[in-house]
Amino acid sequence: MVDDSLNRTGASLLIDALQKNGINNLYGVVGIPITDLARLAELRGMKYYGFRREDSAVDAAAAAGFLTKKPGVAMTVSAPGFLNGLTALAQATKNCFPLIMISGSSERHIIDLAQGDYEGLDQYNVAKPFCKKAYRVDRAQDVGLAVARAIRTAVSGRPGGVYLDLPADTIAQLNDDLGEKNMGVYKLVDPAPLQEPSDDAINRAVDIIKQAKKPLIILGKGAAYDRTEKQVQELINKTDIPFLPMSMAKGLVPDDDKHSAAAARSLSLKNADVVILIGARLNWMLSYGDAPQFNPEAKFIQLDIDATQFDSAQKISAPLQGDLTSILNKLVPALTATGYKVPSDWLDAIAQDTAKNDAKFAKRIKAGETNPEFGYYGAIEPINDYFQEHPDTYLVSEGANTLDIGRDMIGMKLPRHRLDTGTWGVMGVGMGYAIATAVETGKHVVALDGDSAFGFDGMDVETMCRYNLPITVVVINNGGIYNGVDNVVPDQLGPTTLDPTGRYDLIAKAFGGDNYYVTNYQEMKDTFATAVESGRPSIINVQIDPSMGKESGHIGNLNPELNLKPL
Ligand code: TPP
């Protein structure tokens, strides 16, 4: 046992450094060599949330980063714990969520001579390609600086995941050099400095927008992360430029705002002559900006913190590099000073298409209420109704059809109230995201999951119940990945098949949470609000028909289809 009464161990310095920088929550799974580190954190006033698997804990920290704009911090044990957390570290980096994953590790000399340590792995080098930056802190006296570097790297420029390798030796090492005052630990000055674009860059963008006959704004989760709602709303309200939100940008401008082109997505993308990307990337989710989804003549204006994002898929005619808030603070007045307004025929075309598509959608939803084969629409409509009445409820969503249909159906009115599978479309983020959202916001959270998606991290229901968090998990159960009807070989279970009668709700009961089981629209309507408003951890198993659900949801076009005939 190391006498830490003078707060001089690496562990003490780490806790002190995090707290000095306003980080008070830790997410993780303990074991050798970090168990006492977590205990010490609790003793020093931090809150430690223990998970059942590291990827959930690291997902939780990533969600905390997105929601608070400070890096979320997760801790894992060495090799296997580290590797379990690595997917979530990579994913946070893809999503641009600020995160620090700290893993206990072995001493360098043992690793470098491959002496076969308990859970020994060269974690520092393994982590490098999966994060924005990896650091290793071999001496207790460097802990303050290492934390400072990790925080700054996670939040400055394009945010992302940082790996901090913490050898067991450093955790327990007494730092005699620094005496009793923890001099190496400090609060960072301006961890994410603002970056303004030049006047030339602004003028170039304004010149293009003011010629636009059919402009369109695409909002990405970067705009949500940077808290640009005020500027974006002003831009849209003053110019009437229609907008399309990517899924995690929903609510930045309320989904029911008259400028939303979401219901006329295809038409607006196909015809827009100037596309203004605000914190959104031209990746697979936007078909790389290519025709036929986009107008091949469209000019692109892109607002992004990271210049390497420009010209990634299309020529960017007006790149605006900087933090989005600073860019918009210059762009909005410059554009509105020109008196620019969107030509009304463009707005009319979008409004007409919206009315047509909304009517079709409303019909489909209405049919879902009474369809004898209970499906997604009937299951999700009551959730949307609830969100319209209680917009300050958070939504976490994963699955394929569940995700896609939920995204289209559930209108968001407030920014950063929706988290989902993100840039990679990863299953298994639900419980980690939901738990961190409840912890960080103190609000009610709904985790809307497909039955397959839920299976990836379902044991963290125990975590949700142990901390008694106000989370309602809705498992849309059609007994399969995408759907529950799949047997290419007679009398053999198909690859997408799961248990169609599984009672996911009973998992909550096992840990003291509430459980609900619904089989039709009316039951869901009667149950959902009660479950959420109880403020208790709960699971609703929504038993839908196994035939419901398209293969790969809305992105079946990405799935190579083979000629499935027996030889
Ligand atoms: N593994 C990970 C980590 N991420 C993935 N996206 C996949 C596998 C492939 N995948 C995509 S969607 C999905 C899977 C396994 C599950 C879809 O089924 P479900 O969650 O039940 O939703 P549904 O379509 O039935 O609503």
Side-chain angles (χ1 to χ4, degrees):
M1 195 192 307
V2 186
D3 177 9
D4 193 30
S5 51
L6 295 175
N7 297 351
R8 288 177 301 148
T9 54
S12 260
L13 294 171
L14 177 74
I15 293 161
D16 200 9
L18 293 173
Q19 286 183 306
K20 275 208 164 57
N21 285 284
I23 295 166
N24 294 305
N25 292 334
L26 287 175
Y27 301 91
V29 180
V30 296
I32 296 170
I34 61 161
T35 314
D36 265 4
L37 173 56
R39 291 196 180 109
L40 194 66
E42 286 191 326
L43 276 169
R44 300 272 159 86
M46 293 187 85
K47 288 269 184 289
Y48 174 80
Y49 294 91
F51 281 69
R52 304 305 300 260
R53 219 184 117 94
E54 288 82 358
D55 49 358
S56 282
V58 180
D59 282 337
F66 173 68
L67 291 166
T68 65
K69 227 181 165 190
K70 281 188 285 195
V73 178
M75 292 201 316
T76 83
V77 302
S78 29
F82 159 82
L83 289 171
N84 282 348
L86 201 56
T87 47
L89 176 68
Q91 194 187 319
T93 307
K94 281 285 160 216
N95 282 336
C96 312
F97 289 175
L99 158 77
I100 302 171
M101 175 170 127
I102 303 173
S103 297
S105 68
S106 309
E107 276 69 68
R108 193 75 255 175
H109 62 277
I110 297 176
I111 292 297
D112 288 351
L113 282 176
Q115 291 179 307
D117 197 12
Y118 166 72
E119 297 185 351
L121 179 75
D122 185 3
Q123 296 167 200
Y124 165 67
N125 280 307
V126 170
K128 278 181 187 169
F130 298 102
C131 58
K132 205 173 156 188
K133 192 89 188 154
Y135 302 106
R136 182 177 161 93
V137 47
D138 285 309
R139 308 182 303 177
Q141 71 198 73
D142 296 329
V143 165
L145 203 67
V147 169
R149 261 171 111 49
I151 293 175
R152 188 175 291 285
T153 305
V155 295
S156 63
R158 177 180 290 285
V162 173
Y163 174 60
L164 193 61
D165 198 71
L166 192 64
D169 229 20
T170 306
I171 294 174
Q173 192 181 17
L174 278 170
N175 177 18
D176 289 322
D177 292 349
L178 295 178
E180 296 176 16
K181 290 172 93 186
N182 289 354
M183 280 154 35
V185 172
Y186 61 94
K187 178 171 169 40
L188 270 85
V189 178
D190 199 8
L194 298 179
Q195 298 176 33
E196 276 196 3
S198 69
D199 291 343
D200 281 353
I202 293 286
N203 293 337
R204 191 182 298 123
V206 169
D207 283 346
I208 295 172
I209 301 172
K210 75 184 190 206
Q211 306 295 330
K213 303 212 161 28
K214 298 176 177 179
L216 178 70
I217 288 171
I218 300 181
L219 299 170
K221 61 182 169 309
Y225 173 76
D226 208 34
R227 288 151 172 68
T228 60
E229 48 270 23
K230 191 172 137 273
Q231 289 84 351
V232 167
Q233 288 178 18
E234 189 184 343
L235 172 65
I236 288 171
N237 287 331
K238 289 201 168 149
T239 61
D240 282 335
I241 302 177
F243 73 97
L244 274 182
M246 301 304 285
S247 64
M248 274 195 250
K250 276 164 72 81
L252 199 64
V253 184
D255 276 339
D256 55 4
D257 187 281
K258 65 174 181 182
H259 299 96
S260 171
R265 183 185 163 93
S266 302
L267 175 128
S268 54
L269 290 178
K270 211 187 254 308
N271 293 287
D273 61 353
V274 172
V275 177
I276 305 162
L277 299 156
I278 306 183
R281 294 170 282 185
L282 277 181
N283 57 20
W284 70 275
M285 285 193 189
L286 286 170
S287 314
Y288 312 101
D290 285 340
Q293 285 85 354
F294 280 75
N295 170 3
E297 306 297 321
K299 284 196 165 148
F300 290 93
I301 294 173
Q302 187 165 14
L303 286 65
D304 205 286
I305 187 87
D306 179 7
T308 63
Q309 201 55 53
F310 303 139
D311 306 293
S312 67
Q314 299 289 332
K315 172 183 170 185
I316 301 301
S317 302
L320 287 162
Q321 190 200 354
D323 63 283
L324 300 176
T325 306
S326 294
I327 301 174
L328 289 164
N329 279 341
K330 287 182 95 170
L331 181 66
V332 178
L335 180 63
T336 52
T338 67
Y340 176 76
K341 281 273 184 194
V342 175
S344 59
D345 53 350
W346 177 227
L347 298 176
D348 292 345
I350 290 176
Q352 272 174 26
D353 198 52
T354 297
K356 191 180 78 195
N357 293 336
D358 276 353
K360 262 200 254 165
F361 201 50
K363 241 191 202 165
R364 199 178 300 166
I365 293 170
K366 194 80 204 143
E369 294 176 7
T370 50
N371 190 345
E373 277 154 1
F374 182 43
Y376 290 94
Y377 291 90
I380 297 175
E381 188 188 357
I383 305 179
N384 177 48
D385 291 345
Y386 186 84
F387 271 78
Q388 299 322 297
E389 298 272 305
H390 304 91
D392 198 8
T393 311
Y394 283 78
L395 181 69
V396 170
S397 191
E398 58 181 338
N401 296 277
T402 303
L403 177 86
D404 293 337
I405 296 172
R407 181 183 54 233
D408 292 348
M409 276 184 84
I410 304 172
M412 307 302 293
K413 298 187 194 220
L414 294 174
R416 293 171 297 285
H417 276 53
R418 184 192 156 93
L419 288 90
D420 64 31
T421 53
T423 308
W424 267 355
V426 182
M427 301 300 120
V429 295
M431 291 310 300
Y433 281 8
I435 289 167
T437 301
V439 165
E440 301 287 340
T441 70
K443 299 280 167 62
H444 288 183
V445 180
V446 175
L448 175 59
D449 274 37
D451 52 331
S452 161
F454 176 71
F456 284 75
D457 57 357
M459 190 45 81
D460 272 303
V461 166
E462 188 274 331
T463 310
M464 159 181 95
C465 293
R466 185 167 14 104
Y467 292 104
N468 195 24
L469 295 169
I471 300 171
T472 304
V473 181
V474 178
V475 180
I476 306 283
N477 184 3
N478 61 356
I481 297 178
Y482 314 128
N483 62 48
V485 189
D486 180 25
N487 58 334
V488 277
V489 178
D491 304 324
Q492 200 169 304
L493 293 175
T496 67
T497 306
L498 300 171
D499 181 353
T501 55
R503 287 288 302 268
Y504 292 98
D505 55 313
L506 296 176
I507 301 176
K509 193 174 178 188
F511 300 109
D514 293 341
N515 68 298
Y516 305 89
Y517 177 71
V518 306
T519 60
N520 59 50
Y521 164 75
Q522 197 53 51
E523 285 173 4
M524 184 60 174
K525 184 111 191 119
D526 294 342
T527 304
F528 183 72
T530 312
V532 177
E533 276 164 17
S534 71
R536 301 223 338 115
S538 63
I539 301 181
I540 308 177
N541 185 109
V542 185
Q543 192 65 54
I544 65 167
D545 195 274
S547 66
M548 293 290 165
K550 275 199 294 190
E551 178 103 348
S552 306
H554 289 187
I555 52 174
N557 58 312
L558 303 181
N559 193 35
E561 262 185 61
L562 303 177
N563 187 0
L564 294 176
K565 280 202 188 121
L567 280 177

